[in-house]
Structure formats: structure tokens, C-alpha cells
Amino acid sequence: MIRQPPAQEQHTVTDGPEQRSQPPQPPQQPKGAAPRLKLSAISKSFPGIKANDHIDLSINPGEIHALIGENGAGKSTLVKIVYGVLSADAGVIEWEGKPVTIASPTAARKLGIGMVFQHFSLFEALTVAENIALGLDDSGPIRALNQRITEISARYELPLQPDRHVSGLSVGEKQRIEIVRCLLQSPGLLIMDEPTSVLTPQEAKILFRTLRRLRDEGCAILFISHKLDEVRALCDRASILRHGKLVAACDPREETSGSMAEMMIGSSPVTPRRSSHEAGQKRLEIRDLTVPGQNNFDVSLSHINLELHGGEIVGIAGVAGNGQKELAMALTGEVRAPGREMVVINDEAVGHKGPRRRRRHGMAFVPEERLGQGAVPDMDLAENVLLTGYLRLGLVRYGSLRMQAARDLAADITGQFDVRCRGIQAQAGALSGGNLQKFIIGREIVQSPDVLIAAQPTWGVDSGAAAAIHQALFDLARRGTAILVISQDLDELMLISDRLAVLHEGKLSGAHPTHEFTIEEIGLLMGGADIGKARLAS
Amino acid sequence: MIMLERRRETSRVMKFASPLLALVLTVISGAALFGLLGFDPLEALYQFFIAPVMTSYGIAELLLKATPLILIGVGLAIGYRANVWNIGAEGQLIIGAIAGGAIGLALHGVDSVLVLPLMIAGGILGGMAWAAIPALLRTHFNASELLTSLMLTYVAELLLTWAVNGPLKDPDGFSFPESKMFHDSASMPLLLEGTRLHGGFLAALIVVLLGWFFISRSLPGYEVRVTGSAPHAARFAGFSQTVTIWMTLLAGGALAGLAGLFEVAGPVGQLVPKISPGYGFTAIIVAFLGRLHPVGILFAGLLVALSYLGGEMAQITLNMPLAVTGVFQGLLLFFLLGVDILLTHRIRIGHIKPRSAS
């Protein structure tokens, strides 16, 4: 039951989520049969926040049901309750018509609920089959398991070799391991948490075929995403969460991405504006950057060349695990380049220097991992300003910290970049992903860098925060900063970058103006085709 | 049903309340222990915690015993903040005592105000040198300082035995394995006449202040904290792990060496085969009991010193075995680490019943 539907919301459901539009019932679903999973008035509070507020949701067999909402809307909390990771404060969960208590993930799997998490939990040094065996409650002998893995992967177009080591696999393949692990238990409900965020467009299409096939066999699928185009292409129904409440349910095939975005955000989405730019002077030059992998699981970078000029945004696309992390580390100086001329900032060779010196020369970085790399989780925001601000912002005098100045700056950043938190004394770990990312980007921007390297700047961030981050990058470029964005989100790169290059297995394609590429071409480059062939294919 | 539920943020209240809670639990189980051993629990607790500080001499003894614990505790806390696990402070204390003590013996009879400062410098450098070995092994060979620093403690003990049996033995000492007594200029000045409390306690108070400033208000201290709590963030910020390891181990070694020198130039008065009842190890408990915060360590040092005195008192008046002191300290550490879970979790009592929607 939704209380107090917001007045401006046309799509608000007032009497349970089923009312607005009846999706066509799949044929496997006899009339009057109980839904596979039914949630009634699920509520869950954390200190200071109602993560789920009386949420009703039902998923039928043979249905792909989208759960969409901004980050922090309560999607993760809800699926964690369904998967037994969290327990609800109130509400009823019914599985095939019977009320159940799901006390743990093991209990969830026993019922027939499988979940593929956004972040995989795989052991790099073990084989595919060993990893799957570890994740099963009762795996049986490994040879029989190999057989079953091969069967399942053939049946659902999930090619996997059971005896390969995980360390050599692409992210897409790793995801397949997680999916196969779930499918081995013949789940009645499969939960997919942002599954396409790590895939190339082509890989995503294959995943959708697999999911449709599962649906046709009667499996219920809960598909969590904030990519609305995908939801429209794949899902039969969508439930939209906002601030912990179910605000709407709709048939995504009858909506536009815009109308769903509006339901999700509660207002029209803001599109970041970019004024035209002129390339300024050369700020960053990467010359023949070659860095051998630090260990067996790292990608070696080979012969990377790129120039960045003031005022431009250059995007580096690529499927995760193709050297993005290594490139970012080689640019920040966490890993030093073997040659000093390999990284040149403002005509100063800094390849052999660490992060401190590179920052002094005018670089700033937004790292891929927000918590634990970009911010110290158990320190408050003022202390986190110091993490990279200690060099350029006058926060340190004679080796002693000027905490008041750091607090003032933290307050400035939270105000200027709309970081929502309970004050600058909040620990970084308590901020939502989007807010923490706005804080980190703000912290780097207030240092007025000449070069900003941003890795995955909007990964897992809600669309409002993403728009704000893109706008901040545009504004920074307008002031003459050269910006390099390394991202797996192709839509983002197409939107914000002036030039684009693709990273594949540690090699970088040439950078060309973004408008000269089509999505398909980039997809091919991401898959390892060289640009000449990609051109021919199009 | 009693459940643990994760907190969104580390509890600030619990940061202060949990050591007190640990203390209360220790006292309760200690009382139960005394009861089981056949002692009157209340009487035993009185002997343990109250009787030692009923006289001014007792209080002076308390401060005396707390001095090395506080000094070493602050030094160790700096390392532990950075996840540098120096557990060999006992060895660094011994080497500091030998080095500083040797200077005092070499200058035997020299009546100058410079003798004691030279000995103090020797003590500090001795402790640092001993701590430099694990630092070198860690930064060059990635050998765990946890093992190397501990093993070096036993080497240090043997070195002391050799020194007092050999080069530093008092030639007029009837072949006892002891050095000469330090002369006046080589001894710590007393703070209170008629007691053994010496100027080292004031030094410990200054170290507490400096330690607080270093950890909370200085850039190197900030680097130490970041390195300990998010190593990846430290690398990202450009803080060198090598520098942190050296800095923290040397700081710990310096303060342990200083504590060792204070012991021999203070209450002990000479080099003997055993100069510390395990201060270097007990200081580990003190550091954690004080939440790795210098001011906390000041109070923790006093508390643990009280348990030493209390143990002795109970031994004398109630014939309680000496091992009880160790058990008591063990209980304290056990509860301390146990209640730490309350920092990040809360206890919820009650059963979650699925409730139908209203």
C-alpha cells in the first residue's frame, strides 16, 4: 500500500502495483495461481533512513521483472531481504503462495532463489568448476559437476570451459560462472543485480537471449538496473523505487526511457550542457607507455600513446579487465612507468615519479574505487579532504594539519557539489555511492588541476548524480583542464567525450573524434577487432 | 533472540564506553575467579584495586610502574595505527637499557649534567637500532615484523645476559652478573623524596602530548592513520609505505629504548639480567586498552600498573598466586577485543516476526 502518492506523479500506483497496467500473462501462468514471489508491505530501516517503506511486489513465473530506481532508492536492500542477507523489520514474503521466512542466503537458495551479484565473488586462482563447487551447498563430485556445467552452458548459450582458471577470463565470462552457478540449482527466481554494467553491447545482447530463454522456461527473473533502454528491451514489467518507496509499476514496453526516468527521479532528468570548446595547449602526453603487469592477474600495458589538450575530454572505452585499472595506476603514479618520458605533464617528464610529485605538477585523479582508494571509509569528510588536498590546498602548515581549514573546505565541497550527507563529520563509508563520488570529484576539482584522470566517474551512481558529475566535468574542461575519462559505460563516453579511444588487452587504439564512431564500431574494437577491420565492417 | 546488527557508522559513544564495559566485565569475572579460588571476592577486589593506592608511596609506585607502560604504549600505538605490528618492544627496551646504561658506566664518576642526557640519547638510539632490524627486513625482504620483532626480543635478552656477565659486569661485584650501580649524575632525578618516582613520569606525560599531536594533528601522523585504515588510499594519495614502516618502527623503538633507560637509571639503578617484568609485552595491552589514543593510553597505563601492584598486594595479603595478575590482564584484553564488536554492531534483543501489512 502506497501512502501519500506525490501529487505530480501521474504514474503513481495507489492500490498495489498491479493496477496501472496488466502485463500480458505468460502462458505458463494459469489464472489464479500464486505468484512465484510476493512481497507485502516490506519495510526496513537503518539508523536515520527508511531504506524500504511498505513495498509490495509480486513476480510471476515466466516474467522478467525490472526493479529500477536511483542509487539509494532501496533496490539493494529489497533484494538483500529477498535473498536472506538482511531481514525485514516488517512485512510478509510469500513464495508460491506460502508465507516464508528467509533467514539466510542458504535458505533462499533452498527455496529456489538464485542471485548474480554486481561484484563477483570468485577465486582468481581456482578453476571455473572449483569456483562453482565452492558456491554450491552440495556440489557432488567434480567430474559430474563438469558434465553439468557443460550441459547448462551449452543449453543457455553461456560458453564456459570448466577447467580453465578464472584469472584468465574476461568479466563477461566471470559473470557467466555466476549465472551457471545459479542455474545449476534450477532456480525458480533469478535475481540479476546490474548485470550489464560489465558487458560490451554485444555481450549484453547475448545475455538477454539467455534471460529470455530462461523466462520462456518459466523462471522468474528480477532484473535490477538503471539503464532504462535495457529495461524497455528486456522486461515485461517494471517496479520503480524512489526514496525507499514503490512509486510506480508499469509495462516498460509502453513507456519511453524519459517517462521512466521521470518516475525514477521524480522530476524531469537534467541533461548536462556543454558549451563548445577549443583545444588549448598540450597538457598531458603519454608516450609509448609500456608497463608489465605487477602480478599474474594484471594486464600488461603495451605501447600506449595519447595526447591531451586543455579543454578537451578524452574517453577511453573498453570492457573491464582490459587494462583500465593498470592504466589508471600508471597515470596516477601508484605504479611507476619504466621510463620518465612515458608520462609528460605540462612538458615535465614524470613517468618515474609517484602520485605526490605528479599532483604537484598539476594532476588530479578520481580513482575507480571510491571506498578504500578514493576515500578512507572510517574517516570523516574533513579528514578525507586531506587525502589528496594536503598538497595544493594549503591545508598543511609546517607539517601540521589545519583541521579547521579542512573542515571549511569539506563544507564548501559538500555545498558546491550537492553532496548529501549528515554533515562533514559523517564518515565517508556512510555516504551513498553517488554522494561519495560527488565529494571525491569535488575534492579533485577544487584543486584546479591542469589534468584530471577520472576512472569510472559514474559507476553505480544514480542518474541525478551522474548528470551532476558530467556537468562538473564539462565546467572543469571549460576552464581549460584536460580530462581523461576511463569508463566501461559506453553511453557515458559517447555523451561526454570529444575524442574516444578503446583499450583492449593493454593496447590502446588511436583516439578519434567521438562523432566519427558508431556504437557497433566501438563494440568491435572493445572485442579486439582492429580499427581498419571495424571500418570495413560498417 | 539476541542479535548483532551492523551499524551504519562507527559508534562514537562506544569508542569511549567499550573500554569501560570491558573493565566492568573483567572485574565481574575476576570476582567470580577469586570466589572459585576460595577467596572473598570483595576483599580480593579491594586488595587488587583500592589497597595499592591508599598511601602516597603506593601512588608513587603506581606512577612509576605506569611510566614505561605509557611510553611504550604510545610508541606501539603509532605503529599499530599503520598496521605495523611491532611486538618486540621488550627487546627494544632491553637494548635501550644496555646502550644507555653502557654510556653511564663508561662515564662512571663523571659529575656532569650532560651524563644523563647522553644516556637518554643512548637509550633512544639503542631502541631505534633494534627496531630498525625488523624495519629493514620488512621493507627489503617483506619479512613480517610481527615475527622478527618478537624473535629479536630473545636475542636482546641474551645480549643483556652476556653484557652483565661480561663487559659490563661490576669488577668488584663478587662475580654477580650485575653492573656497577649508576652514580648520581647517571641516575634519574626523583620527583618525590622517599619514593622511587622519578622524572621519567613527566617525560611520559610529555610523550603523551607529543604523541597526540603527532597522530591527530600532523601530516606524517595522518599518513600513518590512512596507511593503517585504507592502504590502497594511502598509495593513491602518494604516501610511501616504506617511509611509514620505518617511521613507526623507529618511533616505537625509540620510546621503548627510552623506557628501558629510565628503568635502569631509575628504580633498578644498575644493569641486571632481568630489568623489566615484561613491560614491552604488557604495553601491547595498554595500547589497545587505550584505543591506540595517547590520552587513552595514559589512563590504560595507570590501570594496568594498578593491576600489577594489586597482584603483588593480593599475593602478600591473601597469598594469592602471582599468576592471577597475568590471568587478570588476559581477561582484560579478552573482553577488550570482544566488546570491540560493539563499535561496528549493536545488540538487538527481540524476535523479528513477520507482520502482516496493515
Short mmCIF file of all heavy atoms in Angstrom, two decimals, chain A residues 76 99 108 116 150 207 263 491 517:
data_model
loop_
_atom_site.label_atom_id
_atom_site.label_comp_id
_atom_site.label_asym_id
_atom_site.label_seq_id
_atom_site.Cartn_x
_atom_site.Cartn_y
_atom_site.Cartn_z
N SER A 76 18.84 -2.39 -3.52
CA SER A 76 19.76 -3.39 -2.95
C SER A 76 19.20 -3.95 -1.66
O SER A 76 19.23 -5.15 -1.43
CB SER A 76 21.11 -2.77 -2.65
OG SER A 76 21.60 -2.12 -3.77
N PRO A 99 3.57 -18.15 3.02
CA PRO A 99 4.46 -17.21 3.72
C PRO A 99 5.75 -17.93 4.16
O PRO A 99 5.69 -19.06 4.63
CB PRO A 99 3.66 -16.78 4.96
CG PRO A 99 2.31 -17.36 4.80
CD PRO A 99 2.33 -18.40 3.75
N ALA A 108 17.51 -19.07 1.12
CA ALA A 108 16.98 -18.54 -0.14
C ALA A 108 17.25 -19.52 -1.27
O ALA A 108 16.38 -19.82 -2.09
CB ALA A 108 17.60 -17.18 -0.45
N VAL A 116 22.75 -13.23 -8.91
CA VAL A 116 24.03 -12.88 -9.51
C VAL A 116 24.35 -11.46 -9.07
O VAL A 116 23.65 -10.52 -9.43
CB VAL A 116 23.98 -12.97 -11.04
CG1 VAL A 116 25.30 -12.51 -11.64
CG2 VAL A 116 23.67 -14.40 -11.46
N THR A 150 28.93 -28.16 -18.38
CA THR A 150 28.98 -28.16 -19.83
C THR A 150 27.57 -28.19 -20.42
O THR A 150 27.25 -27.45 -21.35
CB THR A 150 29.79 -29.38 -20.32
OG1 THR A 150 30.95 -29.47 -19.50
CG2 THR A 150 30.19 -29.23 -21.76
N LEU A 207 23.47 -12.01 -23.33
CA LEU A 207 22.90 -12.23 -22.00
C LEU A 207 21.37 -12.14 -22.06
O LEU A 207 20.67 -12.95 -21.46
CB LEU A 207 23.45 -11.19 -21.01
CG LEU A 207 22.80 -11.23 -19.63
CD1 LEU A 207 23.17 -12.51 -18.89
CD2 LEU A 207 23.18 -10.02 -18.79
N MET A 263 9.70 8.96 -13.58
CA MET A 263 9.15 8.25 -12.41
C MET A 263 10.24 7.94 -11.40
O MET A 263 10.05 7.98 -10.20
CB MET A 263 8.52 6.93 -12.86
CG MET A 263 7.25 7.09 -13.66
SD MET A 263 6.61 5.44 -14.02
CE MET A 263 6.70 5.39 -15.78
N ASP A 491 27.72 4.55 -23.12
CA ASP A 491 26.78 5.66 -23.30
C ASP A 491 27.37 6.94 -22.71
O ASP A 491 27.26 8.02 -23.28
CB ASP A 491 25.45 5.36 -22.60
CG ASP A 491 24.80 4.12 -23.17
OD1 ASP A 491 25.10 3.79 -24.33
OD2 ASP A 491 24.03 3.47 -22.45
N PHE A 517 32.57 7.69 -34.61
CA PHE A 517 32.35 6.28 -34.27
C PHE A 517 30.87 5.95 -34.23
O PHE A 517 30.04 6.79 -33.88
CB PHE A 517 32.89 5.97 -32.88
CG PHE A 517 34.38 5.87 -32.78
CD1 PHE A 517 35.11 6.89 -32.21
CD2 PHE A 517 35.05 4.73 -33.23
CE1 PHE A 517 36.48 6.79 -32.07
CE2 PHE A 517 36.42 4.64 -33.10
CZ PHE A 517 37.14 5.67 -32.53
#
